[in-house]
Amino acid sequence: MDLLSLVGLVTKRRSDYISQAKDLANKYKTQPILEDQMAKQSKLLVAGLRDKLMRWDEYERSLIDKTLTSAVAAVILGVGDDKVDQKIEKAWPIIVGDMLPPLTQFLAETREYIDNGTLRLGDQTADFADSGDDDDDYDLDGAVPGADDLEVDLANGNNPVTAGISKAKRFLARGKTWLKLPGRVVRFIANPTYSFFNLGTYMVKQDQGYKEMRRVAYEDKRVCVDCKEYDSMGWQPIGTLPMPGKGCRCFDHCRCHIEYR
């Protein structure tokens, strides 16, 4: 399905997605639980496709549904009881714009792998129970891994963007297996919920009159240079810093948090 057709489809079904998202938010109550449950569903979804329990069109539609409903549910959890419907309307175009272009590409890639035999339907040689979370699978759209220390990279004559894209391509190639596929699905239906939860919280703080925000990095060995830079900027006018997972090479693995005053 091309991007234009997908946008038309989800626009027609927007009210259904919002209704399902409200049910999800009510069921799971918190963003970490929502993310965890959606991550578990990724293996079930991929297993259903591999084991021929669902047709391709059923898999495609289910992945689209889960991507959008989990994102909207995360916004709802971030918003709480503060003008929920109004804020969903504001968040909807952001969700569609962020998620549908890479999702369209991802679905096209997966279909190609099935058509050319890279992924064989009915293949029982791998056990999904043996697969864990794979933090090394990066999509090329929006994610440029590498550059743990930008100054060192530049001093050594390394281009972190070029190196990051090369690294991403290697990881993408390694993802052409049934065991790797759930790790990529997670990056659409589970991991993004953290960023969209923060978006919901941001909209509430903005309405409440907060004037400044700061993005605080999770200080460990895996924090990227971009997140370090945002952290070093300190307090900034509200709305001038991107949400966690945006504007950084951590992409959906980002765990920065936002503070307001």
Side-chain angles (χ1 to χ4, degrees), residues 63-198:
L63 181 50
I64 294 167
D65 290 354
K66 291 179 186 298
T67 296
L68 294 175
T69 56
S70 63
V72 176
V75 170
I76 293 170
L77 291 172
V79 168
D81 298 325
D82 192 307
K83 301 177 183 176
V84 177
D85 290 333
Q86 181 185 94
K87 289 180 172 58
I88 290 174
E89 290 300 313
K90 289 177 62 177
W92 176 258
I94 298 173
I95 292 170
V96 169
D98 282 356
M99 300 308 299
L100 292 196
L103 180 59
T104 302
Q105 178 182 335
F106 173 58
L107 286 167
E109 289 172 354
T110 305
R111 184 56 192 258
E112 180 183 353
Y113 298 157
I114 291 173
D115 289 344
N116 66 24
T118 301
L119 293 172
R120 293 186 295 108
L121 297 177
D123 182 2
Q124 296 295 320
T125 59
D127 185 353
F128 287 121
D130 296 332
S131 65
D133 295 333
D134 193 340
D135 290 338
D136 289 334
D137 278 341
Y138 280 85
D139 292 321
L140 294 178
D141 283 337
V144 183
D148 294 324
D149 192 320
L150 184 58
E151 292 182 359
V152 172
D153 280 342
L154 295 177
N156 292 334
N158 298 324
N159 184 327
V161 174
T162 301
I165 291 175
S166 176
K167 185 177 180 182
K169 288 179 178 178
R170 294 198 304 273
F171 288 144
L172 193 60
R174 282 165 45 191
K176 299 177 183 178
T177 68
W178 288 114
L179 286 184
K180 293 293 184 179
L181 195 56
R184 297 196 67 198
V185 171
V186 160
R187 305 196 69 183
F188 290 94
I189 71 174
N191 292 4
T193 61
Y194 183 70
S195 183
F196 289 121
F197 172 82
N198 277 277

